[in-house]
């Protein structure tokens, strides 16, 4: 079966249109945008946009979550209280910065805060929690960091 020029053009246009639609739909689903100051919870390798849109906002990605906190279990004896440490990157336009936040029973058991500057704008990151907390049997599954970003301009 052979197609004439009109049929080939029509078939090609339909295929390109469908591929474009599918590509746009996937992009729209994966771009989470929230306002500055709103708490969010992300797992390792997940990212979110803070601000009003992806053009002017700040993209924050959780790079790694490491949790060495001692389980709250009377049958477990720990030499060190441990800490939950989260590595982040923040990106605005072409600039990016990395920072770490941690929850430590001895230093900062409630929250940890860090200020950073990106493209001449001042921001503050606040880590509220890392969950789930360690257990004696170490079946913790995926870890999630609860945090927010404030725009200090």
């Amino acid at each position: 079966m052979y197609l004439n020029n009109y049929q080939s053009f029509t078939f090609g246009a339909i295929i390109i249109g469908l591929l474009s639609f599918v590509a746009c739909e996937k992009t729209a689903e994966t771009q989470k945008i929230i306002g500055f100051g709103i708490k969010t919870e992300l797992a390792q390798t997940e990212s979110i946009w803070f601000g009003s849109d992806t053009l002017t906002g700040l993209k924050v990605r959780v790079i790694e979550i490491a949790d060495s906190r001692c389980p709250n279990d009377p049958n477990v004896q720990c030499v060190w209280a441990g800490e939950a440490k989260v590595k982040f990157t923040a990106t605005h336009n072409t600039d990016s910065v990395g920072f770490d936040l941690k929850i430590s029973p001895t230093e900062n058991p409630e929250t940890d805060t860090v200020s950073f500057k990106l493209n001449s704008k001042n921001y503050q990151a606040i880590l509220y929690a890392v969950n789930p907390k360690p257990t004696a049997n170490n079946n913790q599954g995926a870890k999630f960091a609860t945090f927010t970003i404030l725009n200090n301009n």
Side-chain angles (χ1 to χ4, degrees):
M1 177 175 124
Y2 294 100
L3 301 174
N4 63 33
N5 286 344
Y6 178 74
Q7 290 170 327
S8 296
F9 175 77
T10 304
F11 181 71
I14 290 170
I15 294 297
I16 289 173
L18 286 172
L19 290 174
S20 298
F21 177 74
V22 170
C24 288
E25 280 298 312
K26 185 160 180 81
T27 302
E29 288 175 358
T30 58
Q31 300 297 332
K32 295 186 250 176
I33 303 171
I34 63 171
F36 286 104
I38 297 175
K39 284 184 186 180
T40 188
E41 184 178 74
L42 293 181
Q44 186 168 296
T45 72
E46 289 184 329
S47 60
I48 195 163
W49 287 87
F50 283 90
S52 56
D53 57 51
T54 59
L55 296 175
T56 59
L58 183 73
K59 183 179 184 179
V60 178
R61 182 174 184 85
V62 175
I63 301 299
E64 181 182 9
I65 300 175
D67 193 352
S68 64
R69 293 177 292 178
C70 185
N72 190 9
D73 185 323
N75 298 324
V76 176
Q77 290 184 346
C78 297
V79 191
W80 180 54
E83 64 187 17
K85 188 174 183 181
V86 184
K87 292 183 180 224
F88 295 90
T89 57
T91 306
H92 181 265
N93 295 333
T94 57
D95 267 355
S96 67
V97 64
F99 56 92
D100 297 346
L101 292 167
K102 66 181 177 180
I103 301 292
S104 170
T106 55
E107 295 174 34
N108 46 342
E110 297 298 320
T111 62
D112 191 15
T113 304
V114 67
S115 296
F116 61 95
K117 194 171 193 170
L118 198 55
N119 283 348
S120 302
K121 294 182 180 178
N122 297 311
Y123 299 97
Q124 186 177 29
I126 304 170
L127 177 65
Y128 295 100
V130 174
N131 289 310
K133 293 184 177 178
T135 61
N137 62 9
N138 257 351
N139 286 337
Q140 299 173 41
K143 291 284 186 180
F144 295 90
T146 302
F147 69 99
T148 193
I149 302 291
L150 303 175
N151 185 349
N152 292 335
N153 291 311

